[in-house]
Amino acid sequence: MTQPLAPQYNPSSIESELYRWWTDRGLFSPESHAPGSGEPYVIMMPPPNVTAVLHMGHGLNNTIQDVLIRFERMRGRRALWLPGTDHAGIATQNVVERELAQEGLTRFDLGRDAFVERVWAHVRATGSAIIEQLKSIGSSADWSRTYFTLDEGLSRAVRETFVRLYEEGLVYRGHYIINWCPRCLTALSNEEVEKDEVDGHLWHLRYPLADWSGYLTVATTRPETMLGDTAVAVHPDDERYRHLVGREVRLPLVQRLIPIIADAAVDPAFGSGAVKITPAHDPNDFEIARRHQLPSIDVMTPEARISLAAPARFQGLDRFEARRQVVAELEKAGLVERIEDHRHAVGHCYRCDTVVEPRLSDQWFVRMEPLARPALAAYRDGTLRFVPERRGDDYAGWLEGIRDWCISRQLWWGHRIPVWYCDAAGCGKVSVSRNDLSTCPGCGGPVRQDEDVLDTWFSSWLVPFSSLGWPETTPDLETYYPGHTMVSAPEIIFFWVARMIMSGLHFMGGVPYTDIYLHGTVRDTQHRKMSKSLGNGIDPLEVVRRYGADALRYSLVSGMSVGTDVILDPNDLEASFAPGRNFANKLWNAARFILSNLTGATRPLAGQRGNSVRRSELTLADRWIIARCDATVAEATEAYERFRLNDAAAAVYRFIWSDLADWYIEQVKPRLYGDQPGGDVARAVVAQTFDVALRLLHPVMPFITEALWRRFPGRPESASISVAPWPRPDQRARDPEAIRDFGLVQELVGAIRAIRAEYGVQPGQTIRAVVTPESTVTAAALEHERATVIRLAKLSALTLGESRERVGGHAVLSDGTAVFVPLGDAIDVGRECGRLGTEVDRLARLVESQEKKLGNDQFVARAPSDVVERERQKLTTWRDQQLVLVKKRELLGCV
RNA sequence: GGGCGAAUAGCUCAGCUGGUUCAGAGCGCCUGCCUUACACGCAGGAUGUCGGGGGUUCGAAUCCCUCUUCGCCCACCA
């Protein structure tokens, strides 16, 4: 204790200082807090985008990880939480391109090298912002190991991976239909396409037969693609069209003659049963075209404008403008049979929400099936555990239907594909190399490197080992691979989690972690995802400023149960975060009181040392709080272990507020003041239980618990709660009798307080109470805590025995103990009769239904005997209570 | 089109293996208190057909079926 604490906790005045103190001492590095000892425990932080600004999703994700890592750190594990940032190819490139657009420039104006340099400058300027923000919510990651996915080391890992997979035949270049974003001007993987239901139309178009003898109707949702049609397909068994197969239609507007073919992929029941085939703009059509050796005509530019391959009047039109014009012309020609409303899923770019265009192009792919097989096996054999369990089905389902991964991106920001082409006539060698090439290994001539970069996720899927130094065999790699817990969101399973497992198995021979905890999404009260565009976001830093990081963390943790979403109200921060702030303030004030009453080091509660508190020195209340504390240790520990962070927080909250503050501290006060007998015992009990509570709470509320814990007298200056040993349940602390007996004391005080409130007894006025204990045990307990009852119920006297008076307030405790508070004139007899009457009626109903239950032979015969016994006990108790109250009513002369 | 989840107090949610947390917590609301740790507090209180219907069982908020509403994920019927 140095200076007295202010009556109101002010988080901002201590948080940054404490954080600096932690990092100065290197407490977040596993080496420093447990040198060479303890089993490693590793969490890989999902690397935020390097340009990201902290939002609630980060807040939730990182709070969970921090709780887990702090918990395991205190349990003595060599806890490593490894952070990093992701270069985030498309996202970051978009940011800088937008910046350029402000200056009226495009990346093409700068050229590749200058543009990349510009992105680096941007990253260097803003790059550490998200890291600093993560620190301000208390994240105890080992920042000394922070990586960036474009670092030299990780780049080497990326290249090694690409080359090895190529050598194994798992990376290949192919000419396929891929998802193309016409705004980002790049290919996307299937996972990067978000399907949204859109109200569209189904156009039924008439294609005249070549000899003008009739027409064939096709149905399409994208009429503009007809400009690139090279066939019409029907099902081979479709009687309606069988006679047309092999003949030709004249493609309207283009006047190209195209064949009518038969292919089993056509669904005769959909639309007209005839499909226009546009091999360059639809994956199905592409497959059909391959089977029938049809030509592809690409009628769109990368920007999704109509290309030179289409008739001149359409060239240069945007795809949607082209759609209108194509339809208009067809209508004029009488070739539109009808237009149906049609709701269907349309792919959108996950970065810019532009409608994705299927496009035929040369891209690099990873053959996924061989990688997926072991990843699936690791789930099936129980190596991987998902929390919540059902998420494992999502994982397995995706792996089962896995498709090859398109990894090339037509961007400039990212890992350049390590492939060099030789253009020399007669050579044309394609070289895949770990080192940069300047000449062709085949002919010695000049080479040019592939222009494309790799999908961002191609570097992040390696993080569990690339961040530890792979492909080198570093000590870090040997110690911290494999890790343990992955904390992520369900939508990241496919992008990242599953792929990390595949790469881990393939390159390291084992899964990167075993437990996969998938949390929910932060939403507003209308259950909408918080987003910038909706303007329903809550800035975590604003919450930190107003309520403190601990309050933020407490609210996130307690608002979330395993796998459920967290709902916060952006319009009422008070509702969401005041509970956490209030709790912090409660702790602060409890500590203020406790610490001001500790004069020095306290006696140990249990142990062999000479001055240990002996059991015989403990009061009933002491034994009770020690037992409650012990139960809380067990409860919280189990909850943390099971990822039930909300349960852990609730257990500690309950203990601190309801048990320690409301009851124990209130009852122990007289013993703490001055030099009372037993004061040293009281101080020992209150100090020890509060110390334990702070430790149990530390993972959730690290700042305030550290600030208070450090202030205990006798604490070494260097001690930090963040590496204090985790409390363990103690068999000797278990004390069911104390729980029961002190429970009666609490009940009695509550009963008297209720009577006081009921009859408006002035708060300052003391009254008498006469209590008729149901048993000698009850009598002993009440006798023992007589002073407690007197003080907390504000009594002038507490008499155990029968009362001769009649007029007053009556109550009965759960064990049948009768309580009488003589109030004389102050009481309205009629009112008291009514009050007791309601209570008697309530008990009568309980007794009646209980008698029915126990009168049921089936119940008595079939229910387990302990259940039956318990139910009998209940009946007896309720009867006793009822009896007591009935007698009271008689005494009062109620009618 | 397939799969999954949710529905409990005005709000946000606990309630895990059917019976001792069984109808709960916090916020909000009502009444009274500036009781020297805390008004970001203390004490007392009100509020529920546990979404509807059916079933299993001695016993259902809890298990099964079904309906309704909401949400999410997956899907190449153009």
Side-chain angles (χ1 to χ4, degrees), chain A residues 289-609:
Chain A
R290 273 227 300 216
R291 288 199 281 274
H292 298 269
Q293 280 96 44
L294 297 170
S296 295
I297 300 175
D298 188 345
V299 295
M300 274 190 224
T301 66
E303 293 81 12
R305 294 180 175 276
I306 302 303
S307 75
L308 302 179
R313 62 186 187 283
F314 297 108
Q315 290 173 13
L317 290 181
D318 171 77
R319 54 186 161 163
F320 298 114
E321 183 52 37
R323 177 176 301 177
R324 277 187 289 276
Q325 192 156 325
V326 163
V327 170
E329 289 197 22
L330 289 173
E331 273 182 328
K332 204 149 44 158
L335 295 176
V336 177
E337 189 170 291
R338 63 199 166 95
I339 304 173
E340 275 179 82
D341 287 338
H342 184 65
R343 197 169 164 74
H344 61 144
V346 175
H348 293 75
C349 174
Y350 84 136
R351 279 296 157 204
C352 70
D353 209 37
T354 302
V355 173
V356 162
E357 197 63 37
R359 182 158 190 255
L360 188 57
S361 66
D362 287 315
Q363 303 289 344
W364 287 92
F365 297 87
V366 178
R367 208 180 298 287
M368 296 303 275
E369 199 276 335
L371 297 174
R373 220 176 312 124
L376 198 51
Y379 171 63
R380 300 242 189 269
D381 69 17
T383 305
L384 295 172
R385 282 192 305 273
F386 284 83
V387 180
E389 237 173 290
R390 65 188 147 81
R391 291 296 177 192
D393 293 341
D394 300 347
Y395 169 83
W398 184 74
L399 288 176
E400 279 165 357
I402 199 155
R403 287 178 286 169
D404 285 356
W405 177 14
C406 175
I407 52 170
S408 42
R409 297 288 179 277
Q410 287 64 48
L411 305 172
W412 289 348
W413 176 243
H415 301 273
R416 190 104 176 240
I417 292 182
V419 175
W420 286 263
Y421 304 96
C422 174
D423 294 327
C427 178
K429 188 176 166 62
V430 175
S431 308
V432 177
S433 169
R434 287 174 177 81
N435 306 309
D436 287 358
L437 297 182
S438 50
T439 55
C440 173
C443 67
V447 287
R448 57 179 172 85
Q449 186 173 3
D450 197 301
E451 292 293 319
D452 294 348
V453 300
L454 289 161
D455 182 4
T456 289
W457 301 99
F458 195 86
S459 54
S460 23
W461 78 322
L462 310 175
V463 149
F465 44 95
S466 64
S467 67
L468 296 170
W470 188 89
E472 312 299 327
T473 312
T474 60
D476 261 14
L477 188 64
E478 289 181 322
T479 310
Y480 299 114
Y481 192 95
H484 302 83
T485 309
M486 169 51 54
V487 179
S488 190
E491 62 266 27
I492 308 300
I493 295 176
F494 312 138
F495 277 122
W496 194 46
V497 178
R499 287 173 179 160
M500 277 188 282
I501 292 163
M502 291 189 270
S503 71
L505 284 162
H506 192 74
F507 295 104
M508 295 295 296
V511 295
Y513 35 74
T514 49
D515 288 5
I516 300 149
Y517 176 97
L518 296 157
H519 58 252
T521 309
V522 184
R523 298 174 184 280
D524 68 11
T525 45
Q526 295 165 61
H527 296 131
R528 298 177 308 180
K529 217 166 165 160
M530 288 194 173
S531 76
K532 226 182 279 175
S533 53
L534 281 173
N536 61 345
I538 298 175
D539 178 3
L541 299 176
E542 171 73 10
V543 175
V544 168
R545 258 192 309 280
R546 285 167 61 168
Y547 300 93
D550 288 332
L552 170 75
R553 297 164 60 107
Y554 176 82
S555 297
L556 287 173
V557 162
S558 55
M560 160 203 80
S561 128
V562 171
T564 63
D565 290 338
V566 178
I567 310 295
L568 298 174
D569 188 348
N571 299 315
D572 190 358
L573 295 188
E574 197 70 8
S576 299
F577 302 103
R581 176 203 58 196
N582 296 353
F583 184 37
N585 194 241
K586 185 73 181 181
L587 270 171
W588 183 259
N589 280 290
R592 232 157 52 92
F593 177 78
I594 291 168
L595 294 175
S596 69
N597 283 291
L598 297 182
T599 42
T602 51
R603 295 169 62 191
L605 267 196
Q608 311 307 317
R609 277 193 279 157

Side-chain angles (χ1 to χ4, degrees), chain A residues 161-171 458 461 506-507:
Chain A
T161 313
F162 185 95
V163 175
R164 263 202 226 178
L165 290 174
Y166 179 81
E167 289 167 353
E168 292 164 349
L170 295 179
V171 154
F458 195 86
W461 78 322
H506 192 74
F507 295 104

